[in-house]
Amino acid sequence: NAGVTQTPKFQVLKTGQSMTLQCAQDMNHNSMYWYRQDPGMGLRLIYYSASEGTTDKGEVPNGYNVSRLNKREFSLRLESAAPSQTSVYFCASSGSGGPSRELFFGEGSRLTVL
Amino acid sequence: GNSVTQMEGPVTLSEEAFLTINCTYTATGYPSLFWYVQYPGEGLQLLLKATKADDKGSNKGFEATYRKETTSFHLEKGSVQVSDSAVYFCAVAGFQKLVFGTGTRLLVSP
C-alpha cells in the first residue's frame, strides 16, 4: 500500500546545481501538490496540478518548475538551487473534489543547499 | 485569499491533561476546515475535518467544532497521551488547494 512516494528522501546540493524531486501516487487521484515546510512558516504551497495536463502556481513558486508527467507522477525541479531553498518538501495528492477531500502526503524530501 | 492562524507552540503537557489548540480562520463563504497531524519523521495525515458550520469532527479522542460566529476551529482532547506528541496543523480549503497554519508542536510527558 504505497500511497504517495517521493524520491529522494535526502539530498545535499551546492548553490547553482539543479535537481528534480520525483513524486508518484497509486491512488488514481486527479490532484497533486508540492509544499515546502520551514520552521515557523508551516506548509506553503509551491505548485499544484488540479488534473492531468494542468499546473498552477501556489504561494511560493519562484525558483521552481513542475511537470505533471501523467496522472500518477508530478515532479518538482530546481533549476539553480539557492540556500533559501533548503527545506523539507512534501508531495500530496487528493481525489475528486480536490482539497475538500483528504490530502495524502508523502514522507518528505529533505533538501540542503550549501 | 483564505488564511489560518493557530497558536504558537510548543504546548507542553503531562499525560492525561486536557488539550486545547486554538485555530481561527479567514475565508470567503464557509469552506471545509481540517486538522492534520505530523508525527516525527513522517508526512502529514488527516486527523479530522468539518465541512459546514456547527459540524463537529472527531477522531482518536480529538474533537473540533466549526464555529462560524467566531471563525474558529479549536482542537481539543480530554486526556492526552505520550503518543499524541506531534505537530498539529489547522487548515482551510481554498480554491483547488488547502491553506495551512504554521503548526503547533505538542509535547506530552509521562
Side-chain angles (χ1 to χ4, degrees):
Chain A
N1 221 9
V4 178
T5 304
Q6 294 180 230
T7 56
K9 287 186 168 41
F10 300 94
Q11 184 72 49
V12 179
L13 292 177
K14 294 181 180 178
T15 297
Q17 287 185 319
S18 63
M19 77 158 297
T20 300
L21 297 176
Q22 307 284 356
C23 175
Q25 52 90 9
D26 62 2
M27 295 172 282
N28 200 36
H29 284 168
N30 288 323
S31 302
M32 298 185 73
Y33 310 82
W34 277 106
Y35 286 89
R36 60 177 288 174
Q37 183 179 26
D38 302 292
M41 304 291 288
L43 273 80
R44 293 180 293 170
L45 183 64
I46 306 171
Y47 271 94
Y48 65 101
S49 171
S51 60
E52 186 179 357
T54 69
T55 61
D56 286 284
K57 296 178 180 179
E59 296 174 71
V60 288
N62 291 347
Y64 305 95
N65 285 302
V66 290
S67 296
R68 184 74 183 266
L69 304 170
N70 48 55
K71 192 170 186 180
R72 289 186 65 248
E73 298 173 287
F74 188 40
S75 63
L76 179 71
R77 182 160 178 85
L78 287 70
E79 291 291 353
S80 179
S84 60
Q85 294 177 305
T86 293
S87 187
V88 181
Y89 292 86
F90 287 98
C91 179
S93 69
S94 64
S96 300
S100 291
R101 300 279 298 270
E102 181 176 356
L103 256 102
F104 292 83
F105 283 83
E107 293 184 344
S109 299
R110 184 174 294 275
L111 174 65
T112 301
V113 183
L114 303 175
Chain B
N2 295 354
S3 65
V4 167
T5 302
Q6 62 180 107
M7 63 188 289
E8 291 193 20
V11 174
T12 305
L13 296 172
S14 298
E15 204 165 26
E16 299 184 2
F18 184 86
L19 168 72
T20 300
I21 300 178
N22 291 337
C23 170
T24 57
Y25 66 91
T26 303
T28 304
Y30 302 105
S32 296
L33 301 173
F34 306 81
W35 278 100
Y36 278 78
V37 59
Q38 183 181 31
Y39 297 104
E42 299 183 10
L44 280 73
Q45 56 187 273
L46 179 65
L47 180 60
L48 55 83
K49 72 176 187 180
T51 58
K52 60 183 187 295
D54 299 325
D55 261 4
K56 178 184 284 188
S58 61
N59 186 25
K60 300 181 181 180
F62 291 90
E63 294 183 338
T65 301
Y66 193 138
R67 304 278 190 204
K68 67 176 181 179
E69 62 276 10
T70 54
T71 61
S72 65
F73 192 56
H74 304 322
L75 182 68
E76 297 181 335
K77 187 175 186 182
S79 176
V80 294
Q81 305 300 312
V82 172
S83 57
D84 293 327
S85 297
V87 181
Y88 293 81
F89 292 90
C90 187
V92 59
F95 178 66
Q96 293 186 327
K97 55 185 181 287
L98 267 188
V99 177
F100 287 88
T102 53
T104 303
R105 182 176 298 277
L106 171 64
L107 302 169
V108 181
S109 57

